[in-house]
Amino acid sequence: IEADTALMAVLNAGDLPVGDDSRSAVSLSRELQMVMLRMKAEHMSDDGRGVDYVGLKKSPVFGEYKEKTVFLRTVDIESLEVNEKIAFFINVYNALSLHGLAVHDKPLKSVLEVQGFWRNTCYNIGGHVFSLDDIEHGILRGNRSHPSTGQLCFQGDDPRCKFSVHDVDPRIHFALVCGAKSCPPIQVYSPTNLERGLLVAAQSFCEQEIDVDVADKMVHSCCDRQMSLFVLAYDCFQSRCLYCKDIYNEITSITCA
């Protein structure tokens, strides 16, 4: 999917500090995780869903976070193992969403107020520009077609194709925070807690965001977006998540109540 280059915002385009060595992807991911945990403690609600973007934008911890994102430009993504890559890009996606909303001049009532937010909010990672859409659909979904357009994020000989995850885990949809109020709580992932974290995210979604009517073999939700996540996880990937698969096996239709 081609982003509008006139609208694209690469949020880590500042100068690299003179004399400061570049980080490996793993070590930088850990540094960003620690700063994200501080941002979460200081500027997010207890349930991880609400963010004080005005306070975050002015905070020293956000300034520290922005300084560290510059080093994303020098990391070697190819050196990441599979779980390292998945955890790295989930964390970067969630942080980029926060970063993209926090830098606006006035508070936003909805992420939809930002034209092409997911297409045009970007980081330079390892010398390549990745938007939120690129990370979700190009990397974490294994460069499968975008559900809205039917197009691939990385087409032809795009050099970013080599970074796509091949063994896609559908539970990533329950971990990504796109900036909408209906998004899951923000968590910080690592290669060691990835399996547990994704399982908990899937269980939390299924228990809190949808209602399964086993007798009628239907799933209900009051939110179209929550239903789209549930359907996308199954339709695209045949549901490798056993927790969700048990639910899918019990239903024949999905509706928004």
Side-chain angles (χ1 to χ4, degrees):
I1 299 173
E2 293 294 333
D4 186 338
T5 55
L7 296 174
M8 284 180 63
V10 180
L11 300 183
N12 64 336
D15 294 332
L16 285 166
V18 177
D20 202 338
D21 295 331
S22 60
R23 277 79 159 168
S24 71
V26 173
S27 63
L28 180 59
S29 179
R30 288 172 182 154
E31 290 182 36
L32 293 174
Q33 286 172 32
M34 297 305 295
V35 182
M36 280 185 64
L37 286 172
R38 287 167 52 203
M39 289 196 296
K40 181 177 179 181
E42 296 177 16
H43 298 284
M44 299 179 198
S45 59
D46 291 341
D47 62 6
R49 293 177 182 270
V51 181
D52 174 13
Y53 288 109
V54 175
L56 176 63
K57 182 178 180 179
K58 299 176 181 178
S59 68
V61 68
F62 184 56
E64 180 182 345
Y65 172 79
K66 290 190 293 182
E67 291 176 358
K68 290 185 180 297
T69 62
V70 174
F71 291 99
L72 285 169
R73 303 199 330 247
T74 65
V75 298
D76 179 8
I77 313 171
E78 290 188 79
S79 67
L80 294 171
E81 300 292 337
V82 175
N83 279 0
E84 291 174 340
K85 182 189 296 184
I86 294 172
F88 175 82
F89 275 106
I90 290 175
N91 290 335
V92 169
Y93 181 100
N94 291 343
L96 179 55
S97 291
L98 290 179
H99 195 165
L101 292 171
V103 296
H104 283 272
D105 294 332
K106 60 181 181 179
L108 301 171
K109 294 182 180 179
S110 169
V111 66
L112 297 178
E113 295 179 36
V114 184
Q115 183 179 356
F117 179 76
W118 299 287
R119 269 197 324 273
N120 299 314
T121 303
C122 310
Y123 278 152
N124 180 323
I125 306 173
H128 303 277
V129 174
F130 293 91
S131 69
L132 288 166
D133 270 350
D134 292 333
I135 294 173
E136 178 177 4
H137 305 293
I139 300 295
L140 294 171
R141 288 188 60 227
N143 201 32
R144 285 164 171 80
S145 59
H146 193 290
S148 298
T149 67
Q151 299 179 27
L152 301 179
C153 284
F154 308 149
Q155 301 190 25
D157 58 354
D158 191 317
R160 297 172 297 175
C161 288
K162 62 185 175 183
F163 305 123
S164 297
V165 173
H166 298 296
D167 189 11
V168 176
D169 192 321
R171 297 172 299 176
I172 57 103
H173 289 287
F174 308 131
L176 297 178
V177 178
C178 69
K181 291 183 178 179
S182 57
C183 282
I186 295 174
Q187 303 295 341
V188 179
Y189 295 86
S190 70
T192 54
N193 76 8
L194 182 64
E195 173 60 31
R196 175 62 181 168
L198 292 178
L199 176 61
V200 170
Q203 289 176 330
S204 176
F205 178 90
C206 292
E207 291 170 358
Q208 298 180 29
E209 307 296 344
I210 59 175
D211 180 33
V212 182
D213 188 335
V214 177
D216 291 337
K217 296 184 179 296
M218 298 177 69
V219 170
H220 304 274
S221 174
C222 62
C223 177
D224 287 332
R225 183 180 180 281
Q226 305 298 35
M227 280 292 88
S228 68
L229 286 180
F230 191 68
V231 172
L232 187 61
Y234 181 65
D235 286 349
C236 291
F237 315 132
Q238 307 305 310
S239 192
R240 215 185 72 185
C241 173
L242 296 180
Y243 188 87
C244 297
K245 193 170 185 178
D246 288 342
I247 295 176
Y248 287 119
N249 289 339
E250 295 292 334
I251 65 175
T252 56
S253 62
I254 296 173
T255 63
C256 289

